[in-house]
Amino acid sequence: MTNTPTTLADWLDYIERQHPATIDMGLERVRAVATAMGLAAPAKRTIVVGGTNGKGSTVAFIEAIARAAGWKVGAYTSPHLLRYNERVRIDGQDVDDAALVAAFNAVEAARGAITLTYFEYGTLAALQLFAESGLDLAVLEVGLGGRLDAVNIVDADIAVITTVDIDHAEWLGEDREAIGTEKAGIIRGWKPVILGETDPPSSVLRRAYQLGANAIRGGSDYFYEPIDAQRWRWRDVGLRMELPTPALAGPIQLANAGAAIAALRALDKPVPRAAWAAGIAAARIAGRLQAIERDGVQIRVDVGHNPQAAGQLARALKAEMTAGRTLAVYAALQDKDAVGVVQALHEVVGEWTLAGLEGPRGQSADQLRARLAGTVVGTAALAGSVEQALTQVLAHAERGDRVLVFGSFHTAAAALQWLQDDA
């Protein structure tokens, strides 16, 4: 390659242009480059986390508990919100630009004529950094699906499947059973798989049984329930714990924390009892009902982008006490089920503003409102961007009101950047 990129920004621009498709499902190319790189196992033990919703939060809980136990932990997640560096953490810190540049150089030197997608470059770079770091545990979040996702070149000790619902139907299938088949591709023979849902698709269970994997199911093999506003309980046949309510907001976080505990329990490495509570209390991740107050108005920023996530948002908002109105800023990618999202939230939200998103999968506010014709949002106010929508909504929001900004990672990123710059 001539004109080798030297900065992280240059590298990100370069890798975005190296494959004709943004998504190219399959493991052959990425596995061939990993072999050429001589990639070793990313850590002494590895947990892979897949599912439709809750992956990032579950990774955060696993990472925080393991670090509280004194382990050296690497975490790979996607997408990022504000900086690419967020995708790769070692010992709780985002890796720096220089480390990522070196890793991208290693990928480029090994790939030859093989084309890689942006995500595949990033996955190989993360695995390279982890393999060099002497980790006790690597926690890897699946990008899309599971069976053909680049992360699946790693034979993990534990697989976690948080939830299975309709999303990315053009790639994964039109129903839960088909999508479950793709998610179940991360399961390995005779190794544990944690199933976070009480009623997972039969395709997931069938795959686990075919492989002889030990399926550990929420609501059957381990249990979690709230005690009061400050405490909740986790239990299985060998352990019973009362734990602090997670700082991460929303009832669904108990399910994510419960799956994280089950995953670590399934490893052959003991966790000190105090680390469970310390890790649950310490876990943080941006853009998951993240709360920011502005002049007495509570702003909530969330990456939720499909009907299942919207339903979880609705339950979380109903559980909170609020004296004022709930005002929503909604911006979605064009391939998402916007009608299903609105239907899940319409009883909670009193006023809607639709915002546009740029990019190849983005859409204008006008296009989004046209798709929502006939719903309660069919006459919603419009804004050219998330930033403009926030300006409009906050201009007439009153003390005690709650503003929900959601619809995609792009939406959350724009909101967090604007709120940070406007602070």
Side-chain angles (χ1 to χ4, degrees), residues 51-80:
T52 303
N53 294 304
K55 298 188 296 292
S57 297
T58 302
V59 170
F61 283 119
I62 294 171
E63 178 188 18
I65 295 167
R67 294 192 66 236
W71 305 358
K72 187 174 185 180
V73 184
Y76 175 55
T77 59
S78 65
H80 60 279

Side-chain angles (χ1 to χ4, degrees), residues 101-124:
V101 165
F104 283 134
N105 270 305
V107 176
E108 187 67 14
R111 77 173 179 90
I114 297 173
T115 58
L116 297 171
T117 66
Y118 183 92
F119 181 76
E120 290 166 344
Y121 266 101
T123 300
L124 289 166

Side-chain angles (χ1 to χ4, degrees), residues 197-209:
E197 288 182 300
T198 56
D199 186 24
S202 59
S203 57
V204 174
L205 296 172
R206 183 165 56 249
R207 184 61 176 165
Y209 298 149

Side-chain angles (χ1 to χ4, degrees), residues 133-295:
S133 297
L135 301 178
D136 297 303
L137 175 68
V139 194
L140 310 176
E141 179 186 348
V142 169
L144 176 64
R147 182 175 64 92
L148 299 176
D149 185 84
V151 165
N152 203 32
I153 65 170
V154 176
D155 286 323
D157 299 284
I158 309 290
V160 179
I161 299 175
T162 55
T163 62
V164 178
D165 208 70
I166 311 300
D167 201 8
H168 300 291
E170 69 276 25
W171 295 103
L172 305 180
E174 299 288 340
D175 56 49
R176 289 184 78 233
E177 290 301 324
I179 294 171
T181 297
E182 296 300 319
K183 304 290 186 188
I186 65 173
I187 300 172
R188 294 296 190 266
W190 310 107
K191 293 182 179 178
V193 54
I194 312 303
L195 304 178
E197 288 182 300
T198 56
D199 186 24
S202 59
S203 57
V204 174
L205 296 172
R206 183 165 56 249
R207 184 61 176 165
Y209 298 149
Q210 286 172 344
L211 293 175
N214 178 19
I216 301 170
R217 299 173 59 179
S220 298
D221 302 297
Y222 68 91
F223 304 86
Y224 52 90
E225 56 267 334
I227 299 171
D228 54 35
Q230 287 75 43
R231 298 173 301 151
W232 65 292
R233 180 181 297 111
W234 189 96
R235 57 189 171 89
D236 65 8
V237 293
L239 181 64
R240 181 186 181 96
M241 299 183 288
E242 289 190 4
L243 298 162
T245 297
L248 293 177
I252 192 61
Q253 295 300 353
L254 292 191
N256 295 330
I261 292 171
L264 287 165
R265 288 271 291 157
L267 281 179
D268 60 343
K269 185 174 175 66
V271 174
R273 193 173 184 95
W276 299 114
I280 293 297
R284 299 287 190 280
I285 185 169
R288 275 66 170 184
L289 266 178
Q290 185 173 345
I292 300 165
E293 187 172 329
R294 182 67 60 87
D295 298 326

